């Protein structure tokens, strides 16, 4: 009886050892091993879809960032640490924008819109809705063909309510640079710290105004941020 039991265990071990190893597609690295995938390779675009044109996806939160930052709640906490939060009382005026990140999902709606909170984390976005300021839209690259987990952000500076939140002159470059300036270095929110570094990437976006919403030219630079989460100190 005992010998039969041990024989069964040995056979099970041999079977597991002989099982084929499941490997990732040779062209697709594991999530966390790549910053992002170029959307154009999968038929996507670095411009989202807004009205008859698009807004540049001019900031990427790298897939090499701490995993929690790439989740909805984790990114919201990070955003609050660097000066952004949910829209005023969760209200949104206007339709959703869409993006195709070449990951196999096709054109998908923005995950959220976050606005500058002027150092008033829960109510400051109401002020932004009135006087204008910086805001962003988030899209996640997580489809079956390009699952980097990276967040692609459309960041821009907008005018006030009386100007119907139109994008400011040079608002795409200004919004991107303000966002990155606030993010760099070590920031804190509640019991966590966020350390952010940046790399500039050229070639994902064509410089100029062609295909860009409102005909506002931008410089074609995408800033890739890598965010690492730490403890309270």
């Amino acid at each position: 009886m005992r010998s039969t039991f041990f024989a069964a265990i040995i056979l099970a071990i041999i079977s597991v050892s002989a099982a084929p190893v499941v490997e990732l597609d040779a062209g697709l690295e594991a999530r966390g091993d790549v910053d992002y995938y170029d959307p154009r390779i999968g038929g996507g675009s670095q411009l989202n879809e807004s009205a008859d044109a698009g807004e540049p996806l001019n900031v990427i939160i790298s897939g090499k960032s701490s995993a929690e930052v790439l989740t909805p709640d984790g990114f919201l906490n990070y955003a609050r640490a660097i000066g952004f939060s949910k829209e005023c009382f969760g209200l949104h005026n206007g339709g959703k924008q869409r993006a195709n990140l070449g990951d196999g999902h096709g054109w998908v709606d923005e995950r959220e819109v976050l606005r500058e909170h002027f150092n008033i984390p829960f109510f400051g976005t109401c002020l932004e809705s009135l006087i204008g300021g910086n805001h962003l839209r988030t899209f996640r690259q997580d489809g079956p063909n390009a699952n980097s987990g990276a967040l692609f952000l459309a960041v821009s500076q907008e005018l006030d309510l009386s100007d119907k939140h139109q994008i400011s002159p040079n608002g795409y470059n200004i919004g991107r640079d303000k966002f990155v300036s606030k993010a760099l270095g070590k920031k804190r929110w509640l019991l966590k710290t966020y350390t952010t570094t940046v790399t500039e990437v050229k070639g994902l976006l064509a410089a100029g105004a062609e295909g860009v919403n409102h005909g506002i030219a931008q410089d074609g630079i995408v800033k890739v941020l890598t965010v690492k989460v730490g403890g309270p100190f």
Side-chain angles (χ1 to χ4, degrees):
M1 183 76 173
R2 181 175 296 179
S3 61
T4 302
F5 174 74
F6 283 118
I9 292 177
I10 292 171
L11 285 173
I13 294 173
I14 292 173
S15 298
V16 171
S17 301
V21 177
V22 177
E23 297 182 351
L24 290 170
D25 186 319
L28 189 63
E29 299 176 67
R31 181 186 288 182
D33 292 338
V34 63
D35 289 309
Y36 60 89
Y37 293 106
D38 184 341
R40 297 170 299 180
I41 294 174
S45 174
Q46 200 69 26
L47 289 173
N48 74 6
E49 186 179 79
S50 171
D52 296 324
E55 295 193 346
L57 301 171
N58 50 12
V59 174
I60 297 174
I61 308 297
S62 167
K64 292 182 180 179
S65 299
S66 295
E68 69 176 81
V69 175
L70 305 175
T71 66
D73 289 341
F75 182 67
L76 177 58
N77 287 336
Y78 172 63
R80 283 172 170 159
I82 64 173
F84 291 78
S85 193
K86 292 182 178 181
E87 296 190 276
C88 182
F89 298 110
L91 301 176
H92 178 70
N93 183 25
K96 291 185 177 182
Q97 296 182 11
R98 304 192 304 162
N100 182 347
L101 301 181
D103 59 3
H105 282 327
W107 291 92
V108 297
D109 288 343
E110 63 202 28
R111 192 174 76 180
E112 69 250 323
V113 176
L114 302 180
R115 298 185 181 277
E116 192 173 2
H117 64 43
F118 301 104
N119 297 316
I120 312 171
F122 296 101
F123 302 105
T125 57
C126 296
L127 181 61
E128 194 277 344
S129 294
L130 292 173
I131 68 172
N134 214 3
H135 76 305
L136 63 91
R137 302 171 190 273
T138 309
F139 305 88
R140 188 173 190 187
Q141 189 178 59
D142 59 1
N145 299 338
N147 190 4
S148 69
L151 302 181
F152 285 63
L153 311 182
V155 189
S156 58
Q157 178 84 2
E158 64 182 3
L159 299 172
D160 61 21
L161 183 61
S162 66
D163 286 309
K164 300 179 180 180
H165 290 159
Q166 295 294 310
I167 304 300
S168 306
N170 198 31
Y172 296 119
N173 292 339
I174 292 172
R176 176 202 61 203
D177 291 345
K178 282 182 62 177
F179 178 87
V180 172
S181 177
K182 286 175 175 286
L184 288 180
K186 181 179 284 189
K187 310 295 179 181
R188 290 180 174 83
W189 174 254
L190 300 179
L191 298 178
K192 293 186 178 180
T193 59
Y194 301 90
T195 302
T196 303
T197 56
V198 62
T199 302
E200 288 191 1
V201 176
K202 297 181 180 179
L204 287 174
L205 271 172
E210 185 176 354
V212 179
N213 202 19
H214 308 295
I216 297 173
Q218 44 80 41
D219 58 17
I221 295 174
V222 176
K223 299 201 175 184
V224 180
L225 305 184
T226 302
V227 185
K228 297 298 183 180
V229 181
F233 305 106

